Amino acid sequence: MAHNFDIPFEGTAETILAKAKRAIESGNGTMTGDSAAGSFSLPAGISKVKGEYAVEDNKLKITITDKPIYVSGDMIENILKKHLS
């Protein structure tokens, strides 16, 4: 089941997405897309966390589409918010 959440931000979409890309790539993940929408994937043990993003107003709308059973959606949300706030 997908887990959806928003991350509000100040400034431009390009700035928050560059920050997100640096954080994801520093964890050996990948992020593709543009300033409107895209997707990402991060290793999580023997599995991966996969998701999509869309920018709407000053919110980064995140949908986690796939994750290991042992990692909660709330845990992923908290980690992403910590790195992007």
Side-chain angles (χ1 to χ4, degrees):
M1 187 163 147
H3 181 82
N4 301 296
F5 58 95
D6 295 345
I7 300 176
F9 65 89
E10 294 181 11
T12 67
E14 289 81 6
T15 301
I16 191 73
L17 292 172
K19 188 174 184 179
K21 186 169 183 155
R22 281 191 305 273
I24 289 169
E25 289 178 347
S26 74
N28 294 320
T30 59
M31 182 172 160
T32 59
D34 57 27
S35 62
S39 62
F40 59 90
S41 175
L42 276 162
I46 60 171
S47 188
K48 289 189 177 199
V49 171
K50 296 179 182 179
E52 300 169 346
Y53 72 87
V55 177
E56 187 176 297
D57 298 321
N58 275 55
K59 290 182 191 165
L60 191 56
K61 301 179 91 45
I62 305 287
T63 301
I64 303 301
T65 57
D66 193 22
K67 64 173 190 60
I69 195 164
Y70 55 86
V71 178
S72 73
D74 289 337
M75 181 185 293
I76 296 166
E77 179 177 347
N78 289 334
I79 290 169
L80 286 176
K81 284 182 174 178
K82 175 183 161 193
H83 285 285
L84 298 178
S85 295

